[in-house]
Amino acid sequence: MNILVVGGGGREHAIIKKLKENPRVSKLYALPGNGGIAADAECAQISATDIPAIVDFAKSHGVDFAVVAPDDPLAKGCVDRLHEAGIPCFGPDARAARIESSKVFSKNLMKHYGIPTADYAVFSDPKAALDYLKTARYPIVVKADGLALGKGVLIPQTFAEAEAAVKSIMEDKVFGASGNEIVVEEFLTGPEVSVLAFTDGTAISPMVSSMDHKRVLDGDAGPNTGGMGTIAPNPFYTPDVAKVCMDTIFLPTLAAMRAEGCPFKGCLYFGLMLTPDGPKVIEYNCRFGDPETQVVLPLLKTDLLTVMQAVESETLADLNVEWSSGAATCVILASGGYPGTYEKGKEITIPSNLAANVTLYHAGDKLDDGRLVTSGGRVLGVTASAPTLKEALADAYAAAETIQFDGVYMRHDIGRKALAVMEER
């Protein structure tokens, strides 16, 4: 089979490496891919949002199955266009992708169908938003309605900060048209959990839970990023919590999407907060999370292509998806200055003798005259799988310390909270 993966980051590299395990896969293409992905797939410099070019490529290269991984092409209808061209693919259509591409849509969906989430209000007028925020309780959450590269969520601690957030999103348009409307939410407290799930619109098969580390600095300090590291499984996500989530969140969400005439097929990401009042939805994503994918897929025992095809053919209920009982962790190596300004083009040195249980997922790098150099903020994900989380963390950090480029930065406390919880039990 010829397989096409749309995207060019660490998440896509994790998907590609897992798909390569299937002996039926004869050719893997990545659009656009990156410098490291080029070792595992044939890359073509076609943007992930250039949907006409993606469809033309798929047709001209005899693609048998496509995986659309990033949010932007999903929201723009890449799956719709590929299906129209007769190409089976994994991912939701544009109408279903609204569960991520419009915070207003997803919040209204949860409210209408009784799915637990934070109280909220929606505004399209900056003055009305500010009038509301003058009497709000702080901290509070301000979200741009549309896609914003994972950076459209702000948490003002005071009215002055909230005023600045509204101005930035709605008037200065730092996120473009994504800021035409905003959602203002109550601030929830409790452990955060990421649960990705395969679903064909009716059946659902949750993946191993994970814990993301969003802040750039140790101790969860500094600004939010796209994710500085992850661990799986998440110790806060117990079997009892999982059952509550299935009954009150996962199945009701699928039923709500069907009732709205836009059944969701693909990977549905549930960003959860385990509040004192029970699990609540912080956000939905319409695709695999990044860097959660880099710790979840290494623990998947069932063949990934087989699962994806079952989702496409709506036969997921007939498949038993199995997972390893071990643990995995991913430590992100970032460019100095990220998530602010940073320099590119720094040569990357990777030793050839990494441990067998360590995998590098390339995110922000490219090939320059045969040299691997940095090209993004999050450059590499160093993932280790092991029988225990403690072992996985030790192995990931040991490998991360051996990889060099000018200005390299990582957090040194990935998984520390999870370990503390496990040691208390």
Side-chain angles (χ1 to χ4, degrees):
M1 293 182 67
N2 296 332
I3 309 295
L4 167 64
V5 176
V6 175
R11 162 187 53 216
E12 287 76 23
H13 199 187
I15 291 169
I16 285 166
K17 280 187 173 292
K18 203 67 181 176
L19 289 171
K20 274 188 73 174
E21 296 176 5
N22 187 313
R24 291 185 295 144
V25 176
S26 53
K27 190 75 176 179
L28 267 165
Y29 299 104
L31 306 181
N34 63 41
I37 287 176
D40 292 301
E42 182 178 316
C43 300
Q45 289 308 301
I46 295 173
S47 167
T49 55
D50 189 348
I51 295 172
I54 291 169
V55 174
D56 287 346
F57 182 95
K59 291 194 294 186
S60 64
H61 287 75
V63 167
D64 300 299
F65 194 84
V67 180
V68 183
D71 47 12
D72 280 336
L74 289 169
K76 291 176 182 292
C78 190
V79 167
D80 308 64
R81 302 291 86 78
L82 286 166
H83 276 153
E84 288 169 6
I87 297 166
C89 48
F90 179 87
D93 61 22
R95 280 176 52 78
R98 288 179 300 163
I99 202 166
E100 177 178 4
S101 65
S102 172
K103 301 293 188 296
V104 173
F105 172 83
S106 65
K107 293 296 290 190
N108 289 343
L109 182 88
M110 287 184 272
K111 182 177 181 179
H112 183 73
Y113 292 94
I115 298 164
T117 188
D119 290 338
Y120 72 102
V122 175
F123 299 96
S124 56
D125 175 52
K127 184 180 182 305
L130 292 175
D131 287 343
Y132 177 87
L133 287 162
K134 284 175 184 174
T135 59
R137 178 182 297 176
Y138 290 85
I140 201 163
V141 182
V142 179
K143 297 180 176 179
D145 172 50
L147 300 175
L149 299 174
K151 299 173 183 176
V153 179
L154 303 175
I155 307 176
Q157 305 293 316
T158 64
F159 173 71
E161 291 182 9
E163 191 174 26
V166 171
K167 182 178 184 300
S168 174
I169 296 173
M170 302 191 78
E171 296 179 2
D172 298 342
K173 298 290 186 185
V174 293
F175 305 121
S178 290
N180 289 346
E181 287 188 292
I182 62 170
V183 174
V184 178
E185 288 184 356
E186 69 168 321
F187 179 77
L188 299 178
T189 59
E192 288 191 43
V193 180
S194 301
V195 179
L196 288 67
F198 296 111
T199 176
D200 61 8
T202 304
I204 186 167
S205 181
M207 306 182 208
V208 176
S209 63
S210 57
M211 178 189 293
D212 194 6
H213 300 67
K214 286 287 188 189
R215 301 280 184 175
V216 71
L217 301 174
D218 287 2
D220 291 325
N224 267 332
T225 71
M228 291 298 294
T230 40
I231 61 101
N234 188 323
F236 290 102
Y237 194 71
T238 64
D240 287 343
V241 172
K243 185 178 188 316
V244 171
C245 290
M246 179 64 78
D247 293 341
T248 66
I249 295 174
F250 301 169
L251 291 174
T253 298
L254 295 186
M257 293 296 280
R258 292 196 302 271
E260 291 295 310
C262 50
F264 189 99
K265 291 173 59 173
C267 172
L268 184 52
Y269 169 116
F270 299 89
L272 307 172
M273 184 79 80
L274 307 185
T275 77
D277 299 323
K280 295 186 178 183
V281 178
I282 306 171
E283 65 173 350
Y284 295 112
N285 287 342
C286 65
R287 36 74 191 183
F288 284 97
D290 187 344
E292 290 93 344
T293 307
Q294 291 90 304
V295 290
V296 170
L297 286 188
L299 299 176
L300 177 63
K301 292 170 67 176
T302 305
D303 173 66
L304 178 59
L305 179 58
T306 301
V307 180
M308 288 180 163
Q309 289 180 307
V311 167
E312 169 70 340
S313 62
E314 300 180 14
T315 57
L316 185 61
D318 300 330
L319 184 65
N320 181 28
V321 182
E322 295 185 288
W323 299 88
S324 164
S325 60
T329 186
C330 177
V331 177
I332 296 295
L333 301 184
S335 297
Y338 174 80
T341 57
Y342 53 86
E343 295 182 357
K344 301 178 182 180
K346 307 298 184 183
E347 186 167 3
I348 305 168
T349 303
I350 301 171
S352 58
N353 59 341
L354 293 175
N357 66 325
V358 172
T359 304
L360 293 189
Y361 296 119
H362 293 252
D365 59 25
K366 67 178 183 179
L367 291 171
D368 182 10
D369 290 331
R371 299 181 310 137
L372 192 66
V373 300
T374 65
S375 63
R378 292 185 299 161
V379 179
L380 289 164
V382 185
T383 294
S385 303
T388 68
L389 177 60
K390 191 171 184 178
E391 293 170 286
L393 284 165
D395 292 344
Y397 272 112
E401 294 288 353
T402 67
I403 298 167
Q404 298 295 321
F405 56 87
D406 187 29
V408 62
Y409 173 77
M410 74 181 98
R411 276 184 60 165
H412 291 86
D413 64 345
I414 303 300
R416 188 172 294 171
K417 285 183 182 178
L419 284 177
V421 170
M422 296 167 73
E423 289 169 0
E424 286 174 5
R425 291 177 178 168

